[in-house]
Structure formats: structure tokens, C-alpha cells
Amino acid sequence: MKPLEGIRVVDLGRFVSAPFCGMLLADMGAEVIKVEKPGKGEDARSLGPFMNGKSLYVSTFNRNKKGMTIQTRSPEGLELLKELIKSSDVVIENYRPGTIKKMGISYEDLREINPRIILASISGFGQTGPEALRPAFDPVAQAYGGLYAVSGTQESGPMAAGTVISDLTTGLYTAYAILAAIIERSTTGKGQYIDIAMVDCMVSMMHTYVANYAANGIIPERHGNTDPLSVPADCYRTKEGGYVVMHAGEDKSWVLLKKLIGNPVLDDHRFDTHQGRVDCREEVETLVREWFLTKTAQEAESELTKAGIICSPVNDMAGIFGSEQIRARGDLVEMEVPGAGMCTFQGSPIKMSDAPVTYHRAPTIGEHNDEILKDILHKSDEEIQRYKEEKTI
């Protein structure tokens, strides 16, 4: 048995944040029903990457779910959705604030038909505040929430993270909040409303920068791949163009690195202490960079690891797919995409001794319509046929 078996989730999410949240719950055993528009499905189904003409975008964020189509703009479709919600535990949505109220499925509406329902709303700026209605995608949240300002270098200017970190972080926070609400409901018997904003999630990721600014008025500068508090610590280019990340800022690691490099210039007593190396950052880093340029990435990583110094190659996708460690951890899994064949996706990072994550491909558009209508909503064959003819599903 999996931890969330017996929990039913209606996933109204689009693009990344809400579908990713639903997928996390599905991985833990929840019955997650992805509701899409009849015919076209979620808008993201037209986005790349593609394999044999089939989009892999939706497949990346919707494994282990059931698929249902409902025309929520029709009165009958909306009533069908409410029936489904009435028999469910959680609803996830990421429409623009105010949309679900216009649809008639706000939290106030839903708790009238199901007092135990947990409704989680994801938006860019949240459901309250002067900019609540402002639209946002991942880069907007990264910029507004501060991540852009601390990413990159002084020369590059502000930079985004290399992935949709705002979408993914928001999905994680929402799943965490839903689990907390489920636990609380076991005591109170009541559901609740969850309001998660992408911008809020980014602000929460701002490390000690918030406290430092509040206490000392310090605005953090972009420092690229360096560690502003430790030296040497950076991403180093090697002689064949590869890169290795190394952190040898601690005194013990510094002694090991000095011995490995073997350059007597590094024995300068100014470099003996942590703060001394920070004060002489450019001198130290120049000497360290020169050593890396005499090695290939593989040589540098091997020698550093053998010496007991923390480091890693900078893996691109080829490096990830070639890593025995990543494959041994089950971080890459194969699933079928109808029409495309077997494709590789990232697996779950959660490893549980008694409830391992299993994988089933993302549903096709409306794949489980008949099953859900019969087994959950107890509709007759005649009613199902009518829904199809009237394009309600």
C-alpha cells in the first residue's frame, strides 16, 4: 500500500506547477484525475520536445494519473465536474485569480457540496494583494521574487535559472501544503483553502539575503559560481573545455589542495586562514585556475576525489545519462508515450523502503472517461453516450 492510497485528487492544472504538484501526489499513491478540455486537451500538449510528432511536455509532468475530459464551459459539464469534486479530497488549479469564482467552483462553492474538500490554488502573485491579478510565468516570478538579481555575474547582468525553478518549487510547496491539510482534516473533519503564489515561493528561497538586508542594509551582489564566503570555490574550466565544480574553502580542504597542486606559491602565509584566502581571492583563484587548465575534467575530478576534496563534473544531459550513480538511483525511467514509443523521463527522487514509486505513463486525452463516469460517478451507458454526443466530455 502506498501512503496516499484512498486520496482522490482532481487536477485542473495547466503547464508545469499544478500538474507537477498533482504528479507528486500520484507518485505517492493518490488517485489523481487530470481534467482537460475535450478534443484538444491541455494547451501544453502542443509544446515540444517532440518524438515522432508527439509532444513529451505533458508526459513529463503527468505520469501516474487518470485522464478525463470535461467541457467546463457548459452547464452540464460544470455539474459533472462538481459531481466529481463532491467525491474527491483535493482540487488543484492554477487559473488566474477570480476565474474559478466566475466558474462557480470557488472554495465557498465547493465546501457547500463537500465540506472536506481541500482546494489548492496556484497563481503568480497570489489571491490577495494589489497585484493579485497580474499574470506571471516562471521567469516573471524569478525576477519579481529576487532570484534573477542574485544569479549571473556582474558582467552578465541578471540571469534566470537554467530550468523552470519557480514552477517546480511552487509545485513542491503546494504538495507539501496539501499533505499538511490532509493531516489536519483527519482531526477537524474539515477541508480548507490553500493559496500558493510563485512569487512568494521565490522570496522564500532567498537564503540569508533577506535577514542580511533587514539587519545590515546589504543588497547581495551577483557572484556567479563563486562562493562569496569561501575561497577557493568556483566552477573551473579544464584544458579540454570541460568544467569541474570544486569547494575547498575549509582550512582542512585547503591543505589537501595545496599538497595536490604542489605549487610553492600557495604556501604564502596570507592564504593560511579562511578569511585570508577571501581577502586574497583573485590571487588564490588565479593559481587554482592555472592548475585546472593543465588537467582534463576527468583527470581533475579523479585527482581531487582521491585527495578527499569536494568536487563534481559539470554534467550536461550526456553526462547525466552516462552517470552510473544516477542510473543506479533510478533517476531515469522509461515510459511509453502512445504514438511515440518508449521515452526516457526523470524519475522520482523519493526513495521509500515500504512504498517505492512505480511508474505509469501520462494519460492520453480523456483516456479514462468511461472508467471514471461508471466507477466513480455511477453513470449509465446511455448517459455516457449522451455526454459524448453533446461533447460534454
Side-chain angles (χ1 to χ4, degrees):
M1 183 172 178
K2 293 190 176 181
L4 296 183
E5 280 187 27
I7 298 295
R8 180 174 296 145
V9 179
V10 176
D11 181 354
L12 302 176
R14 305 167 297 157
F15 297 105
V16 180
S17 56
F20 180 61
C21 171
M23 186 182 80
L24 297 175
L25 301 176
D27 285 349
M28 292 294 105
E31 180 186 30
V32 179
I33 300 172
K34 180 176 180 61
V35 177
E36 302 180 77
K37 296 177 289 187
K40 184 180 179 182
E42 183 188 341
D43 291 340
R45 286 189 181 273
S46 64
L47 301 180
F50 298 96
M51 182 172 178
N52 296 329
K54 297 295 182 180
S55 170
L56 304 185
Y57 194 104
V58 165
S59 294
T60 299
F61 303 108
N62 290 281
R63 65 174 176 245
N64 290 332
K65 299 179 185 180
K66 294 179 179 179
M68 185 177 189
T69 54
I70 300 179
Q71 179 51 267
T72 57
R73 293 188 178 183
S74 73
E76 190 168 33
L78 195 58
E79 285 306 309
L80 196 60
L81 176 61
K82 288 181 178 180
E83 281 189 62
L84 183 61
I85 292 171
K86 187 176 182 179
S87 66
S88 300
D89 299 280
V90 179
V91 177
I92 306 169
E93 63 92 12
N94 62 337
Y95 295 112
R96 189 177 296 191
T99 300
I100 58 172
K101 184 175 182 178
K102 293 178 182 177
M103 293 172 64
I105 54 170
S106 68
Y107 179 61
E108 290 71 22
D109 296 317
L110 297 184
R111 68 181 177 181
E112 290 293 324
I113 61 173
N114 183 355
R116 292 173 57 81
I117 199 68
I118 296 164
L119 173 60
S121 292
I122 293 173
S123 61
F125 288 80
Q127 305 296 315
T128 60
E131 303 209 57
L133 297 180
R134 183 171 176 172
F137 281 118
D138 180 272
V140 171
Q142 287 192 45
Y144 202 100
L147 186 60
Y148 259 66
V150 298
S151 301
T153 65
Q154 294 302 309
E155 294 75 22
S156 72
M159 295 188 73
T163 185
V164 287
I165 193 69
S166 175
D167 281 324
L168 299 171
T169 301
T170 303
L172 283 164
Y173 268 124
T174 308
Y176 166 56
I178 288 169
L179 295 179
I182 290 172
I183 292 171
E184 184 178 25
R185 189 182 65 180
S186 67
T187 301
T188 66
K190 297 178 181 179
Q192 62 183 293
Y193 183 58
I194 298 170
D195 169 11
I196 306 284
M198 296 164 68
V199 168
D200 297 351
C201 293
M202 286 296 90
V203 172
S204 78
M205 295 286 108
M206 285 294 101
H207 195 40
T208 58
Y209 301 144
V210 170
N212 198 18
Y213 179 75
N216 303 307
I218 294 176
I219 297 176
E221 295 183 349
R222 293 180 293 278
H223 51 78
N225 297 314
T226 67
D227 183 336
L229 303 178
S230 290
V231 175
D234 205 341
C235 178
Y236 300 92
R237 184 181 176 91
T238 59
K239 71 178 183 180
E240 93 287 21
Y243 289 87
V244 173
V245 167
M246 180 194 72
H247 199 296
E250 296 179 355
D251 290 343
K252 181 180 178 180
S253 297
W254 170 245
V255 172
L256 296 173
L257 183 63
K258 281 200 305 180
K259 182 179 179 180
L260 175 63
I261 293 177
N263 186 339
V265 179
L266 294 175
D267 291 328
D268 189 319
H269 290 302
R270 293 178 301 152
F271 307 158
D272 286 348
T273 65
H274 189 281
Q275 188 57 47
R277 292 189 297 278
V278 171
D279 293 340
C280 300
R281 175 184 299 274
E282 193 50 42
E283 291 179 69
V284 174
E285 291 289 18
T286 296
L287 293 168
V288 173
R289 284 194 290 265
E290 288 174 354
W291 179 81
F292 273 95
L293 288 171
T294 69
K295 308 288 181 179
T296 66
Q298 185 175 8
E299 290 169 345
E301 181 203 6
S302 176
E303 292 181 26
L304 290 165
T305 300
K306 187 176 181 181
I309 299 166
I310 296 173
C311 69
S312 171
V314 176
N315 281 329
D316 56 14
M317 278 297 113
I320 288 173
F321 273 69
S323 167
E324 293 183 7
Q325 173 66 18
I326 286 173
R327 288 193 174 276
R329 294 287 294 171
D331 294 337
L332 299 173
V333 297
E334 288 194 343
M335 287 182 285
E336 177 198 5
V337 176
M342 295 302 293
C343 302
T344 302
F345 300 92
Q346 54 268 59
S348 172
I350 298 171
K351 321 295 181 187
M352 298 177 69
S353 61
D354 295 333
V357 175
T358 55
Y359 301 97
H360 188 272
R361 63 168 175 79
T364 57
I365 300 171
E367 180 176 350
H368 300 94
N369 278 354
D370 286 6
E371 175 188 330
I372 294 166
L373 289 167
K374 286 182 179 180
D375 298 345
I376 297 176
L377 301 181
H378 309 296
K379 301 298 181 181
S380 67
D381 291 339
E382 291 75 16
E383 287 176 299
I384 294 172
Q385 183 60 35
R386 178 169 60 82
Y387 287 138
K388 292 178 180 178
E389 291 173 355
E390 295 177 354
K391 301 189 184 305
T392 301
I393 60 173

